[in-house]
Amino acid sequence: GLAGQNVARVLKDLTLPYVIIEMNNDTVRKFQADEPIFFGDASSADLLKSYGLEKAKIVIVAVSGVKIIQNIIHTLYQVRPDVPILVRTHFIRDISDISLNEHSDFIIGEYETTLELIARVLKAYGVHSKQIHDLVHSTRVSIDKHTHGLEPSFRRKMDLPKWEVYANIRPLVIQQNDTSIGKSLKELEIRQLSGSLVVSLFREGLG
C-alpha cells in the first residue's frame, strides 16, 4: 500500500536495510526489480526467520484485516518477543481485539486523521500555534480516556535522541511592518506564549 511504499522510499534514501513481505504476488512482481520484496505469508515463523526477523530492529505490520494482524503478531512474538512492532490500523475499534506488549504500538488512521483535521481547521482560523498544540493534546487525552478497549501502551510518548531536537528548528522572517519590530525578546514573550526558544538572530546587512 501507499504507507508501506513511502516507508520503503525513506529507508532506501537513507540506505537503511529493510525487507518487505507481501501477500499479493502481483505486487511482488511489480516492485521486485527495485525493492527487496518477497512473496509469502507473514504469519509463517519459518518465512520470517528466513528473511532475518531475528536481526530486525523494528517490524511494521500494515495489512488489512484484524484476524490477519493477530496471526502475524502471534508469530512475531513467538520468534522475537522483544522486537518493537508498529501496527497500522484504519479504525480505533480494530485494536480492541489486538494485544501488543510494551515494546509495540498502534498507528491508527482514524485517530491521527482526527487530530490533523483539528490542527488544520484551527490554523485556518488563525488560532495561535500554542493553543493548537494544547487543544490537540487535550483531544488526544479525551480520545484515549473515552475509547474502550485501548491497551495501556496506546499512544506512549517516545524519547527522541537529543540530535533530533534540531529537526524542529524553523526559520521565521520578520517583515518590515511587523508589530514585533523595535521590541526586545523579553518584551515579545516568545517562550511564554509559544514554548519556542530563539536559537539565533540574523539581521539583513548585519548578520
Side-chain angles (χ1 to χ4, degrees), residues 24-42:
N24 186 319
N25 209 15
D26 291 335
T27 302
V28 173
R29 285 195 294 266
K30 180 179 179 180
F31 292 103
Q32 63 185 358
D34 302 308
E35 296 286 355
I37 185 171
F38 305 95
F39 174 74
D41 181 359

Side-chain angles (χ1 to χ4, degrees), residues 40-207:
D41 181 359
S43 64
S44 166
D46 291 338
L47 183 96
L48 294 177
K49 290 177 182 177
S50 68
Y51 290 124
L53 174 60
E54 293 174 344
K55 297 180 180 179
K57 293 184 179 296
I58 192 168
V59 174
I60 298 174
V61 179
V63 298
S64 299
V66 172
K67 185 61 177 178
I68 298 175
I69 294 174
Q70 288 175 325
N71 293 338
I72 293 173
I73 292 173
H74 177 74
T75 304
L76 288 170
Y77 284 156
Q78 281 187 323
V79 181
R80 278 284 308 277
D82 63 315
V83 70
I85 304 172
L86 290 179
V87 180
R88 190 283 314 272
T89 64
H90 294 293
F91 305 105
I92 292 175
R93 66 172 181 267
D94 293 340
I95 71 173
S96 60
D97 297 320
I98 302 172
S99 296
L100 297 181
N101 66 19
E102 67 276 9
H103 302 297
S104 306
D105 213 344
F106 295 99
I107 305 296
I108 305 174
E110 183 180 39
Y111 186 99
E112 301 299 337
T113 300
T114 297
L115 300 178
E116 182 67 15
L117 284 170
I118 291 172
R120 295 289 186 95
V121 169
L122 294 178
K123 183 177 180 180
Y125 274 94
V127 177
H128 194 280
S129 58
K130 177 63 166 59
Q131 288 180 287
I132 293 176
H133 175 274
D134 291 343
L135 289 167
V136 168
H137 176 70
S138 66
T139 303
R140 186 185 297 275
V141 171
S142 177
I143 293 175
D144 286 353
K145 184 183 298 183
H146 294 97
T147 302
H148 298 293
L150 292 181
E151 295 295 321
S153 64
F154 183 55
R155 301 306 312 171
R156 284 190 305 274
K157 299 296 183 293
M158 299 177 64
D159 294 326
L160 298 177
K162 295 186 183 303
W163 61 265
E164 289 197 39
V165 172
Y166 295 105
N168 293 320
I169 295 177
R170 298 289 186 273
L172 176 64
V173 179
I174 297 177
Q175 305 298 333
Q176 291 183 351
N177 59 346
D178 199 287
T179 56
S180 62
I181 292 178
K183 296 181 180 179
S184 66
L185 289 176
K186 183 177 181 180
E187 291 172 323
L188 292 174
E189 297 183 321
I190 295 175
R191 186 67 179 271
Q192 293 89 333
L193 294 175
S194 68
S196 301
L197 177 66
V198 177
V199 178
S200 65
L201 296 173
F202 179 86
R203 295 179 176 86
E204 189 174 0
L206 297 177

